[in-house]
Amino acid sequence: MGVFRILLAFCVVLSHGLNIAIPVATADVAVQTFYIVSGFYMGLILTEKYRDFSPYFTNRLLRLYPAYFVVLIVTLAHSIVRLLMGRSAADPGLVAYVSDFAPLGLAARTYLIGTNLVLWTQDLTMFLKLAPAGQGLAWTTNFALSNPHVEKFLLVPQAWSLSIELSFYLLAPWLVARSTALLITIVAATLVARLLLARIGLDFDPWTYRFFPIEVGSFVLGILSYRSMGARSASAWQQRAALAGLLMATLTYSAGPGGSLQRLAFYGYCVWALPLVFQLTRRNRVDRYLGELSYPIYLTHLLVISVALYSHLSGTALSVLIVALVVGASVALQEVVQKPVERYRAWRVAPRADHPVAEGQVAASNGS
């Protein structure tokens, strides 16, 4: 499943700064698909590996935080160096802090600095705006109308989705222990809630894919997908066909008609195909490594794009440079930070004898 995960990560990169004419899935579709993939893996490891909550949750934290802190520190250093050189702060970086942080009150400052450090509640920045006079924060239904966007205070802006992932991880042990009927009910309830939000006009970003109470339905879909695996048997060619269909649907998504029906059809196919793709690739080391790169790619790409702009290249040349730098930075982050952490995580928790699943094989990627 690693090829699919790395493709989803590059869908986000393409949406954020590559001038390459490939009709891949948009960033919001890729992120919601990552929610489904995450639910699949959490269903897997909580069923086949972990017997209690503590090692499960601390291993989830170890999965996310070390690499995040490295990217956070490098982003901060990059922006500070620019300031010391007499240039404007980098974006992502300290731009919003230089222009709009000073007037804010203590509560707003504490939240903005704290959420960068702990990851939790970063998704809330999409539902906030600067209050009148710029001395505090206030709720808003459309953050795009505010200036500056509160998310600009995030040094790793895409990490808002990691905040949602952390909430998924907290709920996962309870969800995995629930009956299939209840999980289906949860998915149905979130779908109805999504329709009701659209009915009252909240059918735009951030409500479409960043509102946790609704997005938990995507995560539960992944758990249901995993549960179906035990009853699914398929030949190798059927598994390969499922993977090919998954990749093709992702690569050509934006060439389709768009709209809710296409999105639902895509997610439905993902839920159906994931068990077959996992069975096909679970012991493939190359596929596994590619999947592990998806998280570093997601974390580093906005910083890399900012650095690549120093080249003053444009068009295809800039896109090629960005891809090369993203891959290089991601491999470095994986080898220097993630691999040692993965070894420690695997050492902390031995696989259950009845289900020998290696931790690395079931490490969820975000996207997140």
Side-chain angles (χ1 to χ4, degrees):
M1 207 139 70
V3 172
F4 180 52
R5 289 159 56 194
I6 200 170
L7 175 58
L8 290 175
F10 270 110
C11 287
V12 177
V13 180
L14 280 162
S15 295
H16 286 167
L18 291 188
N19 183 28
I20 301 177
I22 305 175
V24 297
T26 55
D28 57 332
V29 171
V31 168
Q32 283 187 313
T33 306
F34 267 127
Y35 295 158
I36 295 172
V37 172
S38 180
F40 180 94
Y41 278 123
M42 292 307 100
L44 173 67
I45 66 174
L46 285 167
T47 302
E48 303 188 14
K49 184 175 182 65
Y50 291 98
R51 284 172 285 188
D52 56 69
F53 178 78
S54 178
Y56 151 76
F57 191 66
T58 52
N59 263 8
R60 290 295 94 204
L61 298 182
L62 285 168
R63 171 68 178 171
L64 297 183
Y65 277 94
Y68 168 75
F69 280 130
V70 169
V71 176
L72 179 75
I73 291 168
V74 173
T75 302
L76 179 62
H78 174 225
S79 203
I80 290 174
V81 167
R82 284 181 60 93
L83 286 172
L84 293 177
M85 293 173 61
R87 306 174 72 175
S88 61
D91 185 16
L94 298 174
V95 172
Y97 286 88
V98 171
S99 61
D100 296 281
F101 189 72
L104 292 174
L106 178 61
R109 291 184 178 190
T110 301
Y111 164 70
L112 293 171
I113 293 174
T115 197
N116 274 286
L117 294 176
V118 302
L119 272 176
W120 296 96
T121 72
Q122 288 197 15
D123 53 313
L124 294 184
T125 60
M126 311 299 172
F127 301 89
L128 296 172
K129 65 178 180 179
L130 293 186
Q135 296 180 345
L137 302 174
W139 296 106
T140 180
T141 57
N142 190 349
F143 75 96
L145 299 179
S146 61
N147 186 31
H149 298 171
V150 176
E151 67 166 321
K152 290 293 186 180
F153 288 97
L154 300 179
L155 271 70
V156 187
Q158 66 274 35
W160 65 266
S161 67
L162 305 184
S163 176
I164 289 181
E165 279 289 328
L166 286 169
S167 299
F168 288 157
Y169 294 161
L170 276 178
L171 282 179
W174 182 84
L175 290 169
V176 170
R178 304 282 70 81
S179 68
T180 297
L182 179 57
L183 295 185
I184 293 173
T185 301
I186 291 173
V187 172
T190 59
L191 180 59
V192 170
R194 193 182 298 276
L195 293 173
L196 290 175
L197 286 177
R199 184 75 177 269
I200 62 174
L202 299 178
D203 56 352
F204 52 86
D205 186 11
W207 302 95
T208 50
Y209 74 113
R210 310 194 208 224
F211 187 44
F212 171 77
I214 303 296
E215 297 311 323
V216 72
S218 303
F219 184 77
V220 172
L221 274 177
I223 298 174
L224 290 170
S225 177
Y226 164 72
R227 285 195 181 178
S228 74
M229 187 163 62
R232 306 275 299 279
S233 60
S235 64
W237 76 264
Q238 289 173 319
Q239 293 171 351
R240 294 190 188 98
L243 174 59
L246 205 55
L247 299 180
M248 186 58 64
T250 306
L251 285 168
T252 61
Y253 182 92
S254 294
S260 299
L261 288 180
Q262 180 187 351
R263 185 177 291 234
L264 287 173
F266 178 78
Y267 295 152
Y269 181 74
C270 289
V271 170
W272 177 85
L274 287 180
L276 301 185
V277 175
F278 178 77
Q279 291 171 12
L280 175 68
T281 60
R282 67 185 299 172
R283 303 194 186 280
N284 187 312
R285 290 194 170 193
V286 174
D287 183 84
R288 173 181 164 185
Y289 188 79
L290 291 175
E292 289 171 344
L293 285 180
S294 60
Y295 181 47
I297 287 170
Y298 185 75
L299 274 182
T300 61
H301 75 277
L302 286 181
L303 173 61
V304 167
I305 289 171
S306 178
V307 172
L309 292 176
Y310 292 149
S311 69
H312 300 297
L313 296 174
S314 61
T316 302
L318 177 61
S319 298
V320 171
L321 176 63
I322 289 172
V323 170
L325 292 178
V326 166
V327 171
S330 300
V331 170
L333 189 61
Q334 174 64 25
E335 294 295 323
V336 176
V337 179
Q338 292 292 83
K339 267 195 173 180
V341 172
E342 289 298 318
R343 287 194 291 268
Y344 175 65
R345 292 170 68 223
W347 172 81
R348 292 182 72 240
V349 183
R352 287 169 53 177
D354 54 338
H355 290 287
V357 180
E359 172 69 13
Q361 289 176 292
V362 296
S365 177
N366 304 283
S368 169

